[in-house]
């Protein structure tokens, strides 16, 4: 069975609300899992790819291993931080790429690395399904902080 840790299931809607369940344990107490949410949507030759990026930490340098979607994120797409170069999230698109990055260092260079690879990440997830893997190696960020694990998933629009 494939490792689903860090992958997600979820939806967004025309009211610009998203509800995402991530395959990690539920937060033991509110605030135990610091997160930063970003719009990394990108304009490509094939149109806009909607991208929601979540930088996540549990205060540990150890990768998680989990098999159910117990961590819930409900948020307003209008309140996402905007990554430099990102375009507005297009709620008319039928899906969005959700990138969940487990790393203790919330460094902008990590987001830039993912932003530069959006097209290939989207194609990989679209063609091969949701997946969990080691994070993109970032040569700019010398302060690598483990575990550098990522889940990449498509979430869909609901009515």
């Amino acid at each position: 069975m494939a490792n689903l840790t860090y992958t997600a299931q979820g939806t967004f809607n025309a009211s610009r609300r998203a509800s995402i369940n991530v395959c990690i344990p539920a937060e033991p107490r509110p605030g135990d899992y610091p997160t930063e949410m970003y719009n990394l949507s990108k304009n490509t030759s094939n149109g806009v790819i909607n991208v929601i990026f979540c930088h996540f930490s549990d205060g540990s340098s150890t990768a998680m291993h989990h098999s159910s979607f117990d961590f819930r994120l409900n948020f307003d797409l209008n309140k996402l931080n905007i990554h430099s170069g990102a375009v507005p999230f297009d709620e008319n698109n039928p899906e969005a790429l959700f990138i969940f990055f487990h790393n203790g260092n919330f460094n902008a260079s990590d987001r830039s690395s993912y932003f530069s690879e959006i097209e290939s990440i989207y194609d990989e997830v679209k063609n091969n399904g949701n997946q969990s893997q080691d994070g993109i190696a970032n040569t700019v960020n010398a302060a690598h902080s483990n575990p550098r694990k990522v889940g990449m998933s498509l979430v869909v629009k609901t009515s």
Side-chain angles (χ1 to χ4, degrees):
M1 183 168 149
N3 180 9
L4 297 177
T5 307
Y6 303 115
T7 63
Q9 299 173 336
T11 61
F12 65 95
N13 61 34
S15 298
R16 302 185 63 81
R17 299 285 310 157
S19 180
I20 311 287
N21 295 318
V22 182
C23 188
I24 62 171
E27 226 174 358
R29 290 174 309 277
D32 279 357
Y33 293 168
T35 59
E36 289 183 1
M37 305 289 292
Y38 289 85
N39 173 12
L40 264 64
S41 299
K42 190 171 188 179
N43 195 14
T44 71
S45 59
N46 294 321
V48 172
I49 298 174
N50 283 336
V51 183
I52 302 165
F53 182 92
C54 181
H55 233 141
F56 159 84
S57 176
D58 67 341
S60 169
S61 61
T62 304
M64 294 179 162
H65 298 283
H66 202 64
S67 60
S68 58
F69 295 84
D70 295 328
F71 179 59
R72 187 171 189 102
L73 293 165
N74 292 307
F75 54 92
D76 184 335
L77 295 168
N78 293 321
K79 295 185 179 177
L80 295 175
N81 296 305
I82 309 293
H83 179 74
S84 177
V87 298
F89 189 94
D90 182 357
E91 70 272 0
N92 293 316
N93 284 355
E95 60 194 8
L97 177 63
F98 182 78
I99 300 173
F100 189 79
F101 186 54
H102 184 186
N103 189 38
N105 182 357
F106 290 14
N107 192 297
S109 61
D110 286 320
R111 292 185 296 279
S112 294
S113 294
Y114 281 92
F115 186 73
S116 69
E117 298 293 325
I118 291 298
E119 292 96 334
S120 61
I121 294 170
Y122 175 79
D123 287 343
E124 179 69 21
V125 174
K126 187 75 172 170
N127 294 324
N128 298 307
N130 295 353
Q131 50 199 275
S132 179
Q133 57 189 245
D134 290 334
I136 292 175
N138 183 335
T139 57
V140 176
N141 183 4
H144 292 301
S145 176
N146 286 331
R148 295 191 67 79
K149 296 292 184 180
V150 66
M152 300 170 297
S153 311
L154 287 180
V155 297
V156 295
K157 181 181 177 186
T158 61
S159 8

